[in-house]
Amino acid sequence: MSTITERFPMANEAMPPAADRLRANMAATKISFNWYGVRKTLSDAQKERAADSFTAEATFLSAAKKLLDTRHAAYQAVTTVRGQILQYWRSLTLPYPESGVRLIRQDDIADFDSQLQRFQRELQNAVEQLDWKFSELKSSARQRLGDLYNSNDYPVSLRDEFGFNWEYPSIDVPDYLRQLNPRLYEQECQRIQSRFNEAVELAEQAFLDELGKLVGHLTERLAGADDGKPKIFRDSAVENLTDFFHRFRHLNVRSNAQLDELVAQTQQIIQGVRPQQLREDVSLRQQIGRQMANVQASLDGLLVDRPRRSIIRPTRLEEPA
């Protein structure tokens, strides 16, 4: 990853608003997928036959058939790469109030682009392996679908049926509009500024939600059961928090002092603590559990105090097509 350098204001200098810092340091990025659909809606005649078996009306029945066995290892390998792409994209970006768009630090773009090129090669290799198994998958589908099998539902090859693209769309006001229509230019400037203000709120909400889930999970794992024995927890309960701290430092726009303080407090609590210690040391486990419970209570209070419009944002806003 590239070294991150950011200019901080001098003591006698006013800190620019978070939305302005976001706008100055970030760029938009969008990922779109071309993905073969493995389900196909039944024809009207097929739905009629299915409805007859239930003595139902076909117009009140929705039915589809699965074209490929999605549990096959070759298909799973392809979907695994897609999952890795989405996870990497989201880990390096912040939400933006436009469907399919997220914000990335400008100094991360070079590494981001290189990694997506590697993912593209991995996906191509996985799709080639899947294509080699295509005949086997169709043969299995023919046996499982019976009369519903139709060879016309399948392409000749799967090589061009899976892929993804990424771009860096402009989310700023075009400069030509300044001369063409100054009034409209000003309106667009205000609209974009409003979107970045909302992006700050979305970023805060995303960090709050993630920290709340991680702290809640660890707190629940550290709490004893009815018999006083600790619940089993994996190393990831601590490691995921450590990853969160790194991402928060990297992407935080310093818009919420309370959130910053809670993150710092949580990091201090588990600093130097190894998962094995929590499993073996009852006293330490109880101490960390109490401290985490206090953080959880503070997080719950901060969530309640946030504006309602920030809490009811759609959760799938940034999901690419």
Side-chain angles (χ1 to χ4, degrees):
M1 299 293 291
S2 58
T3 301
I4 302 167
T5 58
E6 185 174 348
R7 176 184 176 277
F8 289 87
M10 302 297 290
N12 61 348
E13 205 178 351
M15 175 75 79
D20 292 342
R21 293 197 300 273
L22 201 65
R23 191 170 181 178
N25 298 324
M26 310 292 275
T29 177
K30 185 174 185 177
I31 292 180
S32 55
F33 288 91
N34 168 42
W35 216 252
Y36 178 67
V38 295
R39 294 184 182 275
K40 186 177 179 64
T41 302
L42 297 186
S43 67
D44 291 341
Q46 291 168 337
K47 283 197 292 185
E48 288 282 358
R49 289 176 57 189
D52 287 343
S53 64
F54 295 102
T55 63
E57 293 184 25
T59 54
F60 282 79
L61 180 68
S62 177
K65 58 183 176 180
K66 184 185 289 188
L67 301 180
L68 296 177
D69 180 7
T70 55
R71 296 171 299 178
H72 194 283
Y75 186 87
Q76 289 288 318
V78 173
T79 57
T80 294
V81 179
R82 175 185 168 122
Q84 291 171 343
I85 293 167
L86 290 173
Q87 182 180 17
Y88 175 72
W89 179 52
R90 289 168 181 155
S91 71
L92 208 61
T93 56
L94 292 175
Y96 184 74
E98 183 176 320
S99 181
V101 174
R102 293 181 67 88
L103 299 176
I104 184 171
R105 289 183 64 108
Q106 294 173 9
D107 49 11
D108 280 343
I109 289 178
D111 289 336
F112 176 76
D113 206 82
S114 295
Q115 180 59 51
L116 288 188
Q117 290 180 39
R118 287 191 285 271
F119 277 133
Q120 193 170 58
R121 291 191 291 270
E122 289 180 22
L123 181 60
Q124 288 173 348
N125 291 336
V127 172
E128 287 182 3
Q129 295 292 331
L130 178 61
D131 195 55
W132 289 341
K133 298 290 185 178
F134 195 24
S135 295
E136 175 186 327
L137 287 165
K138 287 191 292 184
S139 177
S140 174
R142 183 183 294 108
Q143 295 176 6
R144 297 182 179 189
L145 288 174
D147 292 342
L148 293 177
Y149 180 82
N150 184 347
S151 60
N152 294 327
D153 292 333
Y154 300 86
V156 175
S157 169
L158 292 176
R159 292 178 183 268
D160 296 327
E161 300 296 324
F162 298 88
F164 76 101
N165 296 294
W166 66 97
E167 56 183 308
Y168 307 96
S170 174
I171 51 175
D172 213 340
V173 184
D175 194 59
Y176 68 81
L177 201 57
R178 188 198 305 266
Q179 298 296 329
L180 185 65
N181 191 324
R183 184 179 62 82
L184 182 57
Y185 176 81
E186 182 61 28
Q187 289 178 355
E188 285 298 293
C189 285
Q190 293 176 6
R191 183 180 66 84
I192 294 299
Q193 185 64 37
S194 176
R195 285 199 163 190
F196 274 95
N197 289 336
E198 190 173 359
V200 170
E201 293 186 357
L202 289 173
E204 287 182 17
Q205 187 66 51
F207 284 133
L208 276 170
D209 288 344
E210 185 176 3
L211 181 61
K213 290 176 182 178
L214 293 172
V215 169
H217 176 69
L218 181 57
T219 302
E220 189 266 341
R221 293 291 91 188
L222 292 172
D226 294 337
D227 58 2
K229 296 181 180 180
K231 297 178 182 179
I232 297 174
F233 70 93
R234 302 182 185 278
D235 291 3
S236 59
V238 174
E239 293 169 351
N240 289 342
L241 266 171
T242 302
D243 292 341
F244 171 84
F245 298 143
H246 174 76
R247 190 166 62 258
F248 183 80
R249 287 195 303 270
H250 185 61
L251 293 172
N252 183 25
V253 294
R254 304 186 303 282
S255 60
N256 188 318
Q258 290 176 289
L259 174 59
D260 294 349
E261 183 179 349
L262 281 173
V263 172
Q265 181 181 345
T266 307
Q267 186 171 11
Q268 186 176 12
I269 291 171
I270 68 168
Q271 188 170 11
V273 176
R274 299 189 304 275
Q276 191 61 31
Q277 289 178 283
L278 295 174
R279 281 189 281 266
E280 297 174 349
D281 190 330
V282 175
S283 177
L284 177 63
R285 184 169 61 246
Q286 292 175 342
Q287 175 189 339
I288 299 297
R290 288 193 297 268
Q291 292 175 320
M292 283 293 177
N294 291 334
V295 172
Q296 183 69 57
S298 298
L299 282 168
D300 291 342
L302 190 55
L303 281 168
V304 170
D305 291 339
R306 286 187 58 77
R308 184 172 181 272
R309 66 192 179 98
S310 296
I311 296 175
I312 62 174
R313 293 294 307 175
T315 57
R316 296 180 61 83
L317 182 65
E318 78 281 358
E319 182 75 23

